[in-house]
Amino acid sequence: MDPYLSFLRRALPRDWADYPRALFAEFADHARMLRETVPWCAALEEEAFLQYVLMPRVNDEDLSSHRPLFYGLLWDRVKGLSPEEAVQEVNRWCQEHASYQAQDDRTAAPLTVFRCGSGRCGEESALLVAALRSVGIAARQVYAPRWSHCDDNHAWVEALCGGAWRFLGACEPEAVLDRGWFNTAAARAVLVHSRTFGPAENAALHGPALDAREGAVYHNQTARYAPVKRCTFRTAPGARLTLSVLNEARFIPIIEDLDAGEEGILTLELGIGDIHVSAVLGDLRAEGICRGAREDGLTLMPGPAPAPAEGWTDFDFRAPAAPKPPPPLTPAQKEERAAVRARGEGLRAARLAGFFDRERAARYPACADLLREARGNFDEIYAFLSRDTSPLREALLRTLAAKDLRDADAALLEAHLRRAAPYAAQFPPEVFGPYLLCPRVAFERLTDWTSPPPGPVGEVIALRAAGIPARLRPLDGAVERWADGAFAPLAAPEPMGRVAFTRAHGAALTYRQSWSLSRLTGAGWRDLLLSDGDWAGDTLTAALPAGRYRAVTSLRLPGGDQFASVREFELPPEAFLEIPLRLRACAAGDLITLRELPLVDGRPRRGGRCSLLFWLEEGAEPTEHILNELAQARGALEALPVEITFFLRGEGSAAQPTLAALLASWPGLEARVCDWAYQVEALSRFLGCDPERPPLAVVCDGAGRAAYAASGYSVGAVELLRRVAAILCDIR
C-alpha cells in the first residue's frame, strides 16, 4: 500500500471505515505533490509533514474534499513569499470567505465553512488549518476547552515557520503573527492543548502528551501562552482523574479520565487558577478544589459517597490573574489591519449575496428563508425541493438546523424522505416531523443510516429507521420512543419524583449562566438541561428521575472570579421537594478589578479623571435603553469627576435621534468614531463580556485601567456604572 495511505489507515481507523477510499487517496496525492514541489514543505521533518500537512483531520470536523480546490485558489497568492508572509496571506484569504457566527455544536467541514461563509471558532480554525496544509504549511489547531475567567472557550491556529510554532486567530488577520484578541485570555487559561492522530513520538515537536482517547493524543501547550505551575494530584492507584473549571455555573471538564497509574500520582503543568478535581475508582469517588494560586496539587482518595450535607455550601472559584495586555500596534499597523479586514468583509459580503438565486427562489416563496439560509448549498436544497410537489419536502427541510441546510446533499435528503414518507399519516405532524422525518438526532455526521453508530444516537436512528418516532430526552439525553400518545423511555420505566426550584422575587437566574443541575450516575455527574421558559413566577417545577442531584449557583464577577454555592440532595421515588436557589450577593466594591487596558483613543484622559466608555450600537434597543438611563442619571453623573465618551461606528452614527438629542443637551459628553467592530470584539473578549451583545460599557480609573465592564442591557445598568465610578473616585 502507498506509505501515505498506510499512515492514514493507522492514524484514522474510524474515518477509514466511514469515508470513501478515494477521499484518502486525494489527500495522499496532494500531500505528495506538495512534498515534491513546495520548498517549505520539502524542508519539514517527516513526522511534522505527516501530522500537520498530510493529515486530513484537524479536530472532530466532517472530512471533506478541499485540498486541491484551496491550493488552486491560494497558490498564486503565496508562492514566492516567506513562510510567515504566506501564513498571513492564507489567513487574509480565509477572512475573505468566512467570519464568526454562533452555531450548533456539530463541527462543519472546512469545505462547508468556505462555501457558506461562516463558522464557530473551531470551524474557522479548522478552515485555516486546512487552507495552510493545502499549500504545504504545517499547521494545527490549539484549543482552550474552557476559560476560567468567563463562560466561553476558544480555538485558534498555530503554524510551523522556520522550525517554530507561531499563532494567529483564524479568519481574524492581524498585522503581525503571535497576536489576536485572545492574547490576554490565553494568558489566563488553565489548560491549552493541541492534538495529533496516530503515530506521534516527537515530544519536542508536539508538546507534552496529556492523554489519548478516541484515536487522538492531546498535547499540553499551556506554558506557551500562560504562567503555569506543576500540580501533582495524588489518589488511589489505578484511579481516573478529571479536571474541571466552573463555567456556565457547572463543573465542565477541561481534561477527563486521566490515568493516575500504578502509583496514583499525576503531575501536570497548568495555569494558575482554581481547578475542580474528581477521582474515580470503580464505584468509589472523591472530589475537591485545588486552589491553584496557593496550592501545588491535591490529594483525593475515592470512597463511598457521603450523605448530602444540609443546605447550601458557599465557595469561591478564582480565575488565573489578568495579565497586562500586549503592546499596542503602531498607527500604521492599525491602519493596515483595518484596511485588510474592511476589504475582506466587503469581498465576503458580495460573495454571500451572490448565493441566493432570486428567480428560482420565487418559484417557492414559502421556502425562500430556507433557500437563503442554504447559502453556498442553494443548488442542493433547491434540487431536493423541486423534485416534486410533496409537502413533505418543505417539512423535512424545516427539521434541519441552518448548518445542515448548508451542507446536506439532495441525494441524502431524498433517501430520508423515501424512508419516512410511508409513516406520515400515522403520527401527528409535531411528532412525525422532528422525530421520524428528521435525519438528525444530535450532532452526529449525517448519513443514510445504513450503519448506525453505537450508543444512544444509534439507538434513536434504529428506531426511526423502523418507522418509530424517537428522540434523546431533552433533560438528560436518555433514549425515548413514541408509544400510546407520548414519549416514554426505551429502557425500563424509572421511578420519578418532582422538584420545585424557587428563587427570590426578581432574582436574575439564567440556566447555565447563574445556575445548573446535575445528576449522579454510574458514569459520574451528568449535566441536565432545564429551560428558563419553565419558570412560573418564581417557581420552576421539574419531573426528575429519583436519585442524587447537585445544584450549583454562580455569580460571575467582572474580574473573572465567581461567588458560588453548591447543594446536593436525594430525590426519593414519588417524592416532592422544594429547593430554594441561593444566589450569593456582592457589594459594588466586589465588582471592581483593575486591569491594564490600552488607551482606546490613544490620548490621555483629562486630569487623570475616571471615565465611562460606551461602544454604542445606535438605534438598537439595548443602546436606546442605556441612553435613556444616562439621560435620567445626568445629575448624579455630573456630580462626579467623570468623563463620558461614546465610541461610534461611523460619522453618521451621531445623527441617530436619541443619541443626537443626548449629545445636544449634555455638553460634557464626547463622541468619537473608531474601529468599532474590532474594538468591541477585542475589548469584550479581554474583559470577559459578550462581543455579540453591544453596547459595551467600561468604567476606567484615572490611570486608564478597566475597573468594571458589562455588555448588553439590564435594568439599572447605568446606576451600577455610576456606583462603581463613585467608588473609584473615592479610591482615587
Side-chain angles (χ1 to χ4, degrees):
M1 178 182 285
D2 176 283
Y4 293 166
L5 286 176
S6 179
F7 170 79
L8 295 178
R9 183 179 181 179
R10 284 182 293 137
L12 303 171
R14 185 177 300 176
D15 291 329
W16 189 265
D18 289 346
Y19 288 90
R21 200 72 73 249
L23 178 62
F24 295 100
E26 179 183 285
F27 279 102
D29 291 344
H30 188 78
R32 183 176 293 104
M33 179 274 293
L34 295 170
R35 191 72 156 155
E36 294 172 353
T37 63
V38 177
W40 52 64
C41 185
L44 291 171
E45 62 176 278
E46 185 70 2
E47 193 164 312
F49 167 75
L50 294 174
Q51 282 290 345
Y52 302 122
V53 175
L54 168 63
M55 176 58 61
R57 181 162 292 290
V58 178
N59 193 318
D60 61 352
E61 76 281 8
D62 293 337
L63 298 187
S64 61
S65 170
H66 60 265
R67 295 282 173 87
L69 171 64
F70 290 179
Y71 175 87
L73 295 170
L74 277 165
W75 182 246
D76 283 345
R77 292 178 61 158
V78 301
K79 64 182 180 182
L81 300 179
S82 70
E84 291 82 359
E85 292 169 332
V87 168
Q88 291 281 65
E89 186 62 22
V90 171
N91 201 24
R92 295 183 194 106
W93 177 85
C94 286
Q95 191 248 348
E96 293 165 10
H97 291 87
S99 64
Y100 178 82
Q101 183 180 51
Q103 299 179 144
D104 66 49
D105 288 344
R106 177 172 69 89
T107 306
L111 185 63
T112 295
V113 179
F114 164 75
R115 289 172 55 200
C116 298
S118 66
R120 293 181 289 105
C121 63
E123 294 166 323
E124 289 182 297
S125 54
L127 170 66
L128 176 55
V129 170
L132 289 167
R133 291 180 183 177
S134 78
V135 293
I137 296 173
R140 66 189 180 190
Q141 181 191 72
V142 289
Y143 187 49
R146 284 284 170 167
W147 301 125
S148 183
H149 66 281
C150 66
D151 292 339
D152 204 352
N153 59 1
H154 194 53
W156 58 97
V157 172
E158 291 183 340
L160 197 58
C161 299
W165 289 106
R166 310 291 299 276
F167 71 83
L168 66 164
C171 306
E172 298 171 337
E174 289 279 356
V176 294
L177 290 174
D178 301 325
R179 190 180 184 96
W181 66 259
F182 53 88
N183 279 66
T184 48
R188 304 185 73 182
V190 175
L191 178 68
V192 177
H193 64 60
S194 62
R195 69 181 75 187
T196 56
F197 301 88
E201 300 176 354
N202 187 343
L205 172 66
H206 308 301
L210 281 168
D211 183 29
R213 52 190 156 94
E214 297 182 351
V217 177
Y218 292 77
H219 302 273
N220 192 347
Q221 309 298 344
T222 316
R224 292 170 37 74
Y225 293 94
V228 297
K229 66 190 305 184
R230 291 180 65 82
C231 294
T232 299
F233 304 102
R234 293 177 170 84
T235 185
R240 314 291 294 190
L241 295 173
T242 292
L243 311 185
S244 304
V245 295
L246 186 61
N247 193 287
E248 297 180 351
R250 55 195 176 117
F251 295 115
I252 299 183
I254 53 174
I255 192 76
E256 54 189 324
D257 201 31
L258 297 172
D259 186 358
E262 295 180 357
E263 296 184 358
I265 297 176
L266 181 69
T267 299
L268 302 172
E269 281 194 337
L270 298 167
I272 307 173
D274 289 354
I275 304 165
H276 179 272
V277 186
S278 65
V280 177
L281 182 64
D283 295 332
L284 306 177
R285 58 188 308 108
E287 55 188 298
I289 295 177
C290 173
R291 304 297 182 180
R294 63 176 188 267
E295 297 175 348
D296 296 329
L298 193 66
T299 297
L300 290 172
M301 290 299 165
E310 290 292 328
W312 291 87
T313 300
D314 294 342
F315 67 98
D316 297 344
F317 200 88
R318 303 295 181 183
K324 289 186 176 182
L329 296 174
T330 66
Q333 289 173 327
K334 290 181 181 179
E335 289 181 10
E336 176 190 347
R337 178 184 62 199
V340 165
R341 293 196 175 196
R343 179 179 180 276
E345 288 165 6
L347 291 171
R348 186 177 63 251
R351 182 168 171 265
L352 289 176
F355 290 148
F356 186 69
D357 187 325
R358 295 181 181 276
E359 182 177 343
R360 285 192 288 171
R363 300 168 193 167
Y364 298 93
C367 299
D369 60 324
L370 297 168
L371 291 165
R372 190 178 298 279
E373 195 66 68
R375 296 189 182 176
N377 204 37
F378 182 101
D379 290 343
E380 291 292 320
I381 299 303
Y382 181 84
F384 172 74
L385 190 61
S386 60
R387 180 77 176 267
D388 59 40
T389 60
S390 170
L392 292 181
R393 294 186 178 278
E394 179 182 351
L396 188 152
L397 293 177
R398 294 210 177 273
T399 70
L400 300 178
K403 191 177 293 182
D404 294 324
L405 291 170
R406 296 170 192 172
D407 64 5
D409 65 76
L412 180 62
L413 297 178
E414 196 68 38
H416 281 284
L417 181 63
R418 288 196 303 269
R419 165 190 59 80
Y423 308 103
Q426 299 181 25
F427 304 101
E430 65 273 15
V431 173
F432 171 75
Y435 306 119
L436 202 155
L437 177 63
C438 181
R440 174 162 301 291
V441 176
F443 299 119
E444 76 282 3
R445 175 176 168 240
L446 284 186
T447 68
D448 62 5
W449 290 1
T450 54
S451 300
V457 168
E459 293 180 52
V460 171
I461 285 175
L463 288 167
R464 291 188 190 176
I468 301 169
R471 68 179 186 180
L472 300 178
R473 184 163 60 186
L475 175 71
D476 57 6
V479 177
E480 292 186 319
R481 60 173 290 171
W482 182 260
D484 300 323
F487 280 104
L490 184 64
E494 301 170 284
M496 302 291 288
R498 295 171 64 241
V499 179
F501 297 97
T502 60
R503 61 187 178 188
H505 183 65
L509 280 166
T510 301
Y511 197 72
R512 289 193 174 174
Q513 178 178 315
S514 51
W515 77 289
S516 70
L517 183 70
S518 56
R519 181 190 180 200
L520 185 60
T521 70
W525 289 100
R526 169 171 287 186
D527 293 327
L528 305 182
L529 184 59
L530 301 180
S531 172
D532 288 323
D534 290 338
W535 284 98
D538 291 320
T539 301
L540 188 157
T541 302
L544 301 171
R548 185 161 183 166
Y549 288 86
R550 179 170 67 192
V552 177
T553 64
S554 171
L555 176 68
R556 173 81 69 179
L557 302 178
D561 295 340
Q562 297 173 79
F563 288 169
S565 300
V566 61
R567 177 174 179 174
E568 293 186 16
F569 60 91
E570 293 282 354
L571 177 63
E574 300 183 8
F576 176 81
L577 300 180
E578 182 174 317
I579 304 293
L581 295 174
R582 166 178 166 74
L583 185 63
R584 292 171 61 186
C586 70
D590 294 323
L591 300 176
I592 296 175
T593 302
L594 296 175
R595 286 160 285 180
E596 294 290 342
L597 189 69
L599 292 179
V600 295
D601 54 11
R603 293 161 50 189
R605 292 170 177 81
R606 293 188 293 273
R609 294 200 293 174
C610 298
S611 56
L612 297 182
L613 311 178
F614 296 89
W615 283 260
L616 302 179
E617 189 178 31
E618 69 282 355
E621 186 173 356
T623 290
E624 291 285 298
H625 287 306
I626 288 284
L627 294 174
N628 289 331
E629 285 197 7
L630 280 169
Q632 295 168 7
R634 176 177 175 178
L637 288 169
E638 286 186 319
L640 296 173
V642 172
E643 296 181 3
I644 300 177
T645 303
F646 298 142
F647 294 93
L648 310 178
R649 295 188 288 189
E651 296 294 344
S653 299
Q656 194 276 331
T658 306
L659 177 57
L662 191 63
L663 291 170
S665 64
W666 192 341
L669 300 181
E670 189 171 6
R672 298 178 188 158
V673 174
C674 70
D675 186 0
W676 191 90
Y678 178 81
Q679 288 190 6
V680 167
E681 172 83 8
L683 294 177
S684 295
R685 299 288 192 181
F686 172 62
L687 296 168
C689 297
D690 187 346
E692 297 184 21
R693 295 178 60 240
L696 171 66
V698 182
V699 186
C700 292
D701 71 356
R705 297 173 296 183
Y708 172 76
S711 57
Y713 170 76
S714 58
V715 175
V718 169
E719 171 57 19
L720 180 55
L721 297 171
R722 186 203 66 77
R723 289 171 58 199
V724 171
I727 293 173
L728 288 174
C729 291
D730 288 341
I731 290 174
R732 187 174 62 84

